[in-house]
Amino acid sequence: MYPGVIGKILVADGRVGFIGGMNLDWKGKYIVDGTYRYDGSSLFGAGNRWAPFGRASFVWLASDESWWDVPGLTEFRVRASRGTAGNTPNFTAQYETYSCSASGCSLGQAGNSQLRPETTTETEFGTDFTLFNRVGVELTRAVSDTRDQILNVPTPSNLGFSTQWKNAGTLHNETFEAAFNLPVISTADLTWDLRMSYDRTRSTITQLNMPEYFQN
């Protein structure tokens, strides 16, 4: 078993972050990894300066078990992970903007001091295996939800401003990936592998906290 712990504080450009992590490896067959971070940023709205993020993953090399005896399946690995990442609003999103010229000023973008970071939580399952000690196969299934999407949305005409950045929606994604690798030539002087991959992602807007609108 090889435990490890990391920890540090990051301070730069109006941001503060605390991060800690641990990884465990037992007999090379069971691998667990986890990270947690707590970020603060001046780009977040005044009422939401801090946000937590984290990740955990697990890998099991089943083919290394003493009881493993599957003809043709020379290596078999199972993996799973779940994590949350985020995007920060841009600097001007919190503030009103104006367009000024010699003839005067007009209203531009409305400010929003309550903006939260946009967060994506993804759960992934997959397997990697080798057939007949030659053909490598990777299969992955991932499902994610992006909440508090930061969108520049139109505002009611009586507000005066044309747009405003808001945490306005939730986006659901489902992804499937497959990859195949076949060594054709493997010598001291020449290596030739054939690789084929396929992926498909379907995205659905599952929540929109405002009337529907068109984005140019």
Side-chain angles (χ1 to χ4, degrees), residues 29-142:
K29 295 185 294 186
Y30 312 100
I31 303 170
V32 180
D33 183 78
T35 302
Y36 177 83
R37 63 182 301 146
Y38 195 55
D39 289 350
S41 174
S42 59
L43 298 179
F44 301 164
N48 301 282
R49 292 297 193 199
W50 293 87
F53 305 98
R55 177 183 58 83
S57 63
F58 172 74
V59 177
W60 175 36
L61 190 58
S63 56
D64 275 9
E65 299 287 359
S66 59
W67 47 262
W68 183 266
D69 184 17
V70 180
L73 199 56
T74 50
E75 183 175 339
F76 187 78
R77 181 193 310 264
V78 177
R79 48 186 165 79
S81 64
R82 182 178 174 85
T84 300
N87 292 321
T88 59
N90 62 53
F91 177 77
T92 61
Q94 299 182 56
Y95 310 106
E96 290 81 9
T97 62
Y98 303 85
S99 298
C100 295
S101 64
S103 59
C105 294
S106 60
L107 301 180
Q109 167 193 293
N112 186 352
S113 63
Q114 299 302 312
L115 275 175
R116 298 180 298 276
E118 175 182 286
T119 59
T120 299
T121 300
E122 181 176 272
T123 302
E124 180 181 297
F125 299 94
T127 181
D128 311 318
F129 55 91
T130 304
L131 298 172
F132 306 106
N133 205 31
R134 184 171 177 80
V135 181
V137 181
E138 302 174 13
L139 302 175
T140 302
R141 167 73 168 171

Side-chain angles (χ1 to χ4, degrees), residues 176-215:
F176 174 76
E177 299 175 351
F180 305 88
N181 188 77
L182 175 63
V184 179
I185 300 175
S186 181
T187 67
D189 299 319
L190 177 64
T191 298
W192 179 22
D193 293 347
L194 292 179
R195 183 173 178 84
M196 180 179 70
S197 61
Y198 166 84
D199 66 87
R200 184 195 69 189
T201 298
R202 292 180 175 175
S203 299
T204 306
I205 299 173
T206 56
Q207 184 178 2
L208 187 63
N209 305 326
M210 61 169 300
E212 296 179 4
Y213 68 98
F214 290 98
Q215 181 73 54

